[in-house]
Amino acid sequence: MRFLYSILMVGVLSAVAEYFLPWWSMAVVCFLVALFMKWSGGKSFVMGFCGVGMLWLILALLRDVANEHILSARMASLFHLPNSALFILVTVVIGGLVGGLAAWAGALLSPRSATA
Amino acid sequence: MSGGRQDKAIKPGRWVLLVLTTVLVYLLDKPMGSLPAIGRLLDPMNGCWANAEPVNEDFSAALKLAQVHKASVWLDERLVPHIRTETEHDAYFIQGYVHAGFRLWQMDLQARAAAGRVSEVVGEKAFKFDRKQRRKGMVFAAENSLSAMESDPATKAMMDAYTEGVNYYISKLSYRNLPLEYKLMGFKPEPWTNLKIALLLKYMADDLSGKVDDLGMTFLKGIMTSEQLDRLFPAKVQGSSPVIPAGTVFEKPSLIPKQVPDKNTLFPSFTPDDFGEVREDGKGSNNWVLSGAKTASGAAILCNDPHLGLNLPSLWYEVQLQAPGLNVYGASLPGTPGVVIGFNDSVSWGFTNNYRDVKDYYLIKPVDNDKTKYWFAGKQQNFSVRVEKIGIKGKPDFLDTISYTIHGPVMYDQNFGERDGMKKMLAMCWMAYRPTNELKAIYLLNKAHNYDQFVNAIMNFQCPAQNMAYADRQGNIALWGQGQFVNKWKDQGRFVMDGSDSATLWQELIPMRENPHVLNPAQGYVASANQNVTDSTYPYPDRGGFVELRAWRINQVLSGLSKASVDDMFALQNETYSYLAANMVPGLLKYCTSVQSKYLDGLRNWDYKLSAESETATFFQVWWSYFYGEVWYPLFGGHVPNNLMPLHERTMQLFLADVHPLKGVTVEGYYAAIVSKSYRMAVDSMVRSEKQGSTQWYKIKNTTVSHLAKLPAFSFDHLKVGGWGNTVNATKRDHGPSWRMVVQMGKEIEAYGVYPGGQSGNPGSKYYADFLQHWADGKYYRLLFLPDGEKQDDKKIRWKWSIN
């Protein structure tokens, strides 16, 4: 449960940060959350990946559905991807990867898990 | 995980992932090569996803704008803004704001293209383009016009208000709401300026008066007699149906015709080694006006379809402007204030290109051993020098020193030629270099209420030369072959001229009121389609790069019409009947009586229409192009500079009259051999194409509307449209009718229009290309022309901006 909360926390804090700051502010959020939580490196990665990935998935889906896939279809074609869904997947994976790695890096430097 | 040495320093190895993550973030935030910054772009909060406009977007808004008074903008269902303000200043301010809101990236990029500043944002690949723009003197020309535009209080105020509106919009932008292309290309909008307005107008001037055959003609002059040259390149094609109807009486000229200077050194001569430069295809357009005597409603009808490059975001943006003394609707050019082609509550007007020659080349004779001087009128003159700094993304600036002569800038020299271009020193003389104020014409046209005001307005339109059609609610129709022209001597500017001889200099200007024009002609209509403007009675020389085929057809149709309706006008604008084919095919078939093939059967039963799905149309086009090549390539000995060849209409006439192009008489078997050879080539080519798929005309032609950054993902190809450059519906591969408009000037103005694009420049919007299919299908929208009033309740209005 606490783990789920931390994923949620990553998502919410990233949303707030990204609203005011550049996209990579979510990486700072993941890093800091992991720094203060005592999850293992692996768990922290999952936390960052899922937190940011979910945020990006939800945001992208909301926009894509309201837009009836006009933009995502054109962007997919621009990047030689077969369809909109794959473009959304790429978005989510890139966001999740950055979030996950940043959280993992945070976990590794967390004083509480220094010898993890 | 268990405790231990928490108090001790973290092992250096634990920092590695942080460093790696930081590097990853850095890489994802940085554009690489032509790849955009992926992380920044994909971020759904601020990146490309922010440009995914909801299909049911509510465009309504309440805006507080300190710079303007109370104002309203109604957006109709096609996203056309209808702007109503209390002052002219406010109208142009809001027009600028709206243009920026829907078309900012396009305006920015096109102004950069005009100024030769594309390399600054895309890097070296645009360098050659930029350098050519600089050498052509585009910025020089724009600066000259800007000084004229800013010294006129009306246009100065108009530009200042517009620029202020654009800049206000830009100042409110964050990365999140930047147009998508900025995110993809990784640059940001810079402040708008009045110079950019001038640059965009020069960009149009260059597009429309850029065609120059001087170099090719100079070469041909060296290998042909003047009789042959006149036969192949007549000043007026035989049987031309001029813009100003034949027989129209011209006023007595106020200037004395210039005598050809009595010298044989006026024109230098060139050999094939001197050149290169691929000829650009001419741009065409149609406009015509019918008087009430020819229409079913009894009201005058004006039609216009300028043929320009087909791009997205579209060249045009529809707008209505209402302010005291102003109520105008039409196509505006994003980046410039006012309405270029359209109508107001009293008059309507349309433009086609007038190819009268306003651009000439001069061979410059530099002084030996002194690069700073050239010879003119027997004296050494100093070049004036202009240093152009071309910024290139990722590279140091490039400085190009351009020498200016009394004629104009030295476009080509040993430092700058096209691939295998001109190696001699050539200066360009162009009307667009002069301090002209076309914006004043637009400003006055938008407010004109009668013919006299129309004429006063267009007296400010100097370059590019345009055929300006006019119709008003009083039932008057008119057409002017407008522009600023030089009183040339015969053949002045037909060839490259000796720039050291003062006799070749451009001299006095023809008063613009003496330009060819006609008001309410007896025939009840008048039409222009880039053909010769006048018959031989016009007192001034007016040679140019005119074409005749579309004009012949339009005149043929209009002369036969009575009780014309707007539907007849739609049909004519979309007609794909080929006048060339209708005349050529019977002639070609005469040589083929003993040959049987499905292709010839197709031609025998053909309606001469280049319909989208016709395979016969494809065969004719292929055959014609081989035929044309087989006539001219052997005679011109292969490579002619600028790929200059006689007109298709002239080729057709020589063939039908069975006249050998050079000998001027019938030569037994000459055309039979060409017909037979080109027929075999065409059949071979068709057989090859059939193996690869369909040979329907539209599939082979592949009409494409390309995104300005040439991104196929944002472009549309293989549009199902018929026609070609020589049919009234002149849709070619990447050029075509860029704005079709039909306006019936009755008691109530009934206006229709369509353009191949959409009001929004955002590829993520449903309004990005929503007119495209309608345009391809030859359909029109009824244009919503709101009456003057503070309250509007037309059911086509969907959203409203309340300002202040």
Side-chain angles (χ1 to χ4, degrees), chain A residues 15 18-19 23-24 31 56 63 66-68 70-71 74 77-78 87-88 91 98 101 104-105 108-109 114-116, chain B residues 2-3 10 14 17-18 21 25 28-29 40 42-46 48-49 53-55 176 713 716 763-764 768:
Chain A
E18 280 195 47
Y19 188 81
W23 71 280
W24 46 260
F31 178 81
W56 281 33
R63 294 208 144 118
N67 178 243
E68 290 179 359
I70 297 171
L71 179 101
R74 293 199 172 126
S77 158
L78 187 68
F87 184 63
I88 294 176
T91 299
V98 171
L101 288 174
W104 192 356
L108 285 184
L109 294 174
T115 56
Chain B
S2 59
I10 294 162
R14 293 176 181 270
L17 198 57
L18 179 64
T21 308
V25 166
L28 290 173
D29 198 48
R40 217 188 304 170
L42 294 182
D43 168 22
M45 184 79 82
N46 307 299
C48 69
W49 292 100
E53 183 183 280
V55 291
R176 186 178 308 152
F716 296 82
Y768 172 64

Side-chain angles (χ1 to χ4, degrees), chain B residues 78 258 293 580 769:
Chain B
R78 293 190 299 116
K258 288 270 179 260
L580 179 72

